[in-house]
Amino acid sequence: MLVWILLVAQVAIYLTSRFLIKNKIVKKILFLASIVLLAVWTVDYGIDTWLSFYVWPLLVAIFQGYGLYFLSLLVVGTRITKENLFPFRCFKFKGKLKTALRKESLRNIFSSSYEELLYRWFLQNALYVITKHAVVSIAITVIVFTAIHYRKNIAIVQMTDIFLVSLVITVGFYFAANPIYSIIMHLIRNQLVICQKYVAVQSENERRAKYFKLL
């Protein structure tokens, strides 16, 4: 019974926040309500799952996070270069780029963690409890996650990328069970995408500066 109550409540919160409410304060209140519901689910479903943490799956999650980033480069059609494969130059930025990167990185930690708790830890597990079928819970979670990230101005290749990322993480979560691993996968993949974006911006700025210097 509780799983149905939590599921309906989370759906209601999402729909209200996305389509009915524009006030930022109300949105924040709804978000806090969603967090509380996730806490209730964690206590009811089993907080012991978080405690069964092992180093080997953690290392696998790190490599899978990088693998998802590489997959994103291929799907989106980004030219594969050493700079794109290892966009770590972003950590040497200074000034406005460094500030912007720091803010987006912090948002990534927050959003990746929340999404994994909501879609994998709660939704996928709740669907499995209701349907008793792993494939059904995985399929619905992947579809919902992909659909929620849809925007009118988003390219098909980007939606394909989101779908594949969701599929890999959702299947991985089914076998690992512990949300810590899926959070790490999601966080690392997103962080590398963010770094690659800022490295590209920096490279373009350097190219323009060099061009105007030659004029």
Side-chain angles (χ1 to χ4, degrees):
M1 183 63 181
L2 179 61
V3 64
W4 280 106
I5 294 174
L6 294 176
L7 185 59
V8 171
Q10 289 284 16
V11 170
I13 287 173
Y14 170 77
L15 293 176
T16 303
S17 181
R18 176 87 182 260
F19 301 108
L20 301 178
I21 300 296
K22 294 184 178 181
N23 186 282
K24 291 184 178 180
I25 296 178
V26 177
K27 282 180 177 288
K28 288 181 179 179
I29 293 173
L30 290 173
F31 175 75
L32 289 175
S34 177
I35 295 293
V36 171
L37 294 177
L38 288 174
V40 172
W41 171 257
T42 299
V43 172
D44 180 74
Y45 188 74
I47 199 170
D48 57 307
T49 304
W50 291 75
L51 303 177
S52 58
F53 185 78
Y54 302 98
V55 175
W56 174 243
L58 171 62
L59 295 177
V60 172
I62 292 173
F63 281 108
Q64 285 180 322
Y66 180 83
L68 287 174
Y69 166 68
F70 182 72
L71 177 64
S72 295
L73 292 179
L74 295 177
V75 172
V76 176
T78 304
R79 187 166 65 92
I80 303 299
T81 64
K82 182 179 179 181
E83 191 172 68
N84 288 334
L85 286 175
F86 307 102
F88 303 125
R89 185 157 68 100
C90 65
F91 296 112
K92 297 180 181 180
F93 287 164
K94 296 180 180 179
K96 293 182 179 180
L97 270 182
K98 180 179 180 180
T99 301
L101 174 64
R102 185 189 300 120
K103 289 181 179 179
E104 194 162 349
S105 298
L106 290 174
R107 285 197 298 269
N108 174 44
I109 294 173
F110 186 77
S111 63
S112 294
S113 299
Y114 175 71
E115 286 186 349
E116 288 309 310
L117 291 177
L118 181 61
Y119 297 109
R120 251 64 68 169
W121 171 242
F122 170 65
L123 180 61
Q124 186 175 349
N125 281 329
L127 290 171
Y128 183 74
V129 170
I130 293 170
T131 66
K132 306 296 182 184
H133 204 295
V135 175
V136 173
S137 63
I138 290 172
I140 295 177
T141 301
V142 171
I143 292 171
V144 169
F145 185 87
T146 305
I148 283 176
H149 284 77
Y150 173 77
R151 298 293 184 275
K152 289 183 179 180
N153 59 342
I154 196 168
I156 294 177
V157 289
Q158 290 177 301
M159 287 305 303
T160 302
D161 178 39
I162 292 172
F163 172 79
L164 292 175
V165 168
S166 178
L167 179 62
V168 173
I169 295 180
T170 305
V171 172
F173 175 76
Y174 170 74
F175 288 103
N178 194 321
I180 293 176
Y181 305 131
S182 61
I183 289 173
I184 290 172
M185 288 172 59
H186 196 151
L187 194 155
I188 288 177
R189 180 265 176 190
N190 283 6
Q191 186 60 45
L192 287 168
V193 170
I194 292 169
C195 284
Q196 188 271 330
K197 178 181 69 175
Y198 278 89
V199 168
V201 170
Q202 176 71 352
S203 297
E204 179 63 17
N205 290 342
E206 291 173 351
R207 186 190 67 80
R208 289 181 179 179
K210 184 177 180 181
Y211 171 77
F212 285 111
K213 187 179 292 186
L214 293 174
L215 291 179

